[in-house]
Amino acid sequence: MQLYYAPGTIAVATAIALEEAGLDYEAVRIDFAAKEQAGAAYAQINPKGRVPALAVDGGILTETPALLEYIAELAPEKRLMPDGIIDRARMREVISYLASTMHVNHAHKLRGARWATKPASYKDMKAKVPQTMTASCDFICRQGLRGPFVLGEAFSIADCHLYTICTWLEGDGVALADYPKLQTFMAAMEARDSVRAVRAKGML
Amino acid sequence: MTLRLFCTPGTAVSAVAIAPEEAERPYDTVLVNFARGQQAGAAYARINPKGRVPALATDNGVLTEATAILEFVADTNPAALLRPESPLAMARMREAMSDLASTVHVNHDHKKRGRRWADHPGSLEDMTAMVPQTMAASAAHLQAHCLHGPDVLGSNFSLADIHLFVICTWLERDSPRVGEFPALAAFMARMETRASVAAVRAAGLLL
Ligand SMILES: N[C@@H](CCC(=O)N[C@@H](CS)C(=O)NCC(=O)O)C(=O)O
Ligand SMILES: N[C@@H](CCC(=O)N[C@@H](CS)C(=O)NCC(=O)O)C(=O)O
């Protein structure tokens, strides 16, 4: 498998899941500074011009929520997803919130050109990011994170996703120190071999 | 288990009701009135503190997020075969659903919900004005890369078809160029022939 990624992006969630699953993968770095993600060559990999993309036997897959479940299914013995239907639904609820609300809030800092055309609008969007990311942290701490992990004691792929987004918080103007529950979660994640491996590979 | 779906007619994601219809699974609906701002009220906050629809009340608590609700219906009704068997096809299905929830739906929300991400009236106008363009780009992407045949997965009905259908009910209102996407139009026409969609339409959940 080849994972197309850029350091510090949401692609890190997939890298952590691959490490947790103990699957071999080649990390292919896309140079965001050189806008490689928007170039013609990468459009052959992912026409959306985003990371992550995962090349597997049978094709190229994108979208973090899809990749995380795919990886969990490839390594059932690693128990990266809960067995119970309700817990699975809770896990997917958190993952969908992260992808469609919290990640999107963050994207308004630097990617305003996706949704508006005027510099004044970009500035306005950027200024609101600390507020929207704070609201997302409040919500996650109340409803999304049972602690220490998303589903409580059991680790799951939702933790790979939440961890990656939380590495953006300081840059988004949210102090992790204001959220002791998130701090405990982040410390538990930093202690995992998977996160250490991804850090050692320079992906964070 | 009793299922109660909180939804609002015309908000496309409320049509996740198509899934229990496909599974022939009885459910009640409770209408959340957006015109009266009920989604943001204290009573609904006890159901879904995010103040959004859809939400599905089950015997084990309330579930939110269209993708999680759709997968829950598939998990609890395996005989309905709402998902494919192979891991690769499953990932394709989820790829489409994540794309719909995190990109296409979000593009659409910049028409009227710009206040989530900006404050000044000028920014909100700027966002609204760009929606026909972003939704046309989304439609082109969905047609070229998300539909792998008449259905999302080729010729195998799945949850992704329900999700694509409900999101595409907006396209006509958001983008004047929807006629340029014949494969999407054909997909929508085929979906309209399903009994599940007819039932949800008859219940007044689709506008
Ligand atoms: N819904 C996708 C979003 C992927 C995404 O937005 N990735 C960002 C990095 S965090 C990206 O590639 N941005 C490049 C760009 O916008 O040019 C997912 O969850 O995987
Ligand atoms: N990520 C959620 C989004 C749900 C959502 O945004 N629902 C809209 C209707 S389509 C809503 O309830 N909006 C109410 C509001 O913003 O006040 C999902 O896919 O279910």
Side-chain angles (χ1 to χ4, degrees), chain A residues 78-92:
Chain A
K78 295 290 173 19
R79 311 186 65 79
L80 299 176
M81 288 200 292
D83 289 329
I85 287 177
I86 289 289
D87 273 345
R88 251 177 213 227
R90 288 274 166 248
M91 181 195 83
R92 292 182 176 132

Side-chain angles (χ1 to χ4, degrees), chain A residues 1 18 21 23 54 56 67-78, chain B residues 87-88:
Chain A
M1 284 188 276
L18 286 165
L23 296 170
L54 189 69
V56 303
L67 297 177
L68 294 177
E69 287 214 32
Y70 179 76
I71 291 163
E73 281 172 10
L74 287 185
E77 74 286 357
K78 295 290 173 19
Chain B
L88 191 68

Side-chain angles (χ1 to χ4, degrees), chain A residues 62-63 93 96 121 124 128, chain B residues 64-65 95 98 119 123 126:
Chain A
T62 65
E63 295 296 321
E93 186 175 42
S96 173
S121 312
D124 191 10
K128 206 178 164 85
Chain B
T64 63
E65 301 289 329
E95 175 179 56
S98 169
D119 293 320
S123 321
D126 190 9

Side-chain angles (χ1 to χ4, degrees), chain A residues 9-11 32 37 49-52 62-65 99 103 111 114 161 168, chain B residues 98 102-103:
Chain A
T9 65
I10 200 62
F32 273 27
Q37 80 274 25
R50 311 260 193 112
V51 295
T62 65
E63 295 296 321
T64 302
H103 186 165
R111 304 291 180 196
R114 284 183 196 156
H161 206 166
W168 302 335
Chain B
S98 169
S102 66
T103 299

Side-chain angles (χ1 to χ4, degrees), chain B residues 18-90:
Chain B
I18 294 167
E21 293 287 348
E22 287 284 342
E24 297 178 19
R25 183 63 191 260
Y27 62 98
D28 304 331
T29 52
V30 178
L31 299 185
V32 181
N33 190 322
F34 277 20
R36 287 200 221 116
Q38 274 176 3
Q39 80 275 23
Y44 189 63
R46 282 194 292 275
I47 305 295
N48 180 5
K50 288 179 279 200
R52 311 261 192 111
V53 295
L56 183 72
T58 74
D59 291 348
N60 296 293
V62 177
L63 290 174
T64 63
E65 301 289 329
T67 52
I69 291 172
L70 291 171
E71 296 247 22
F72 174 80
V73 174
D75 272 340
T76 46
N77 299 278
L81 300 177
L82 297 174
R83 289 183 301 212
E85 294 231 328
S86 90
L88 191 68
M90 191 77 112

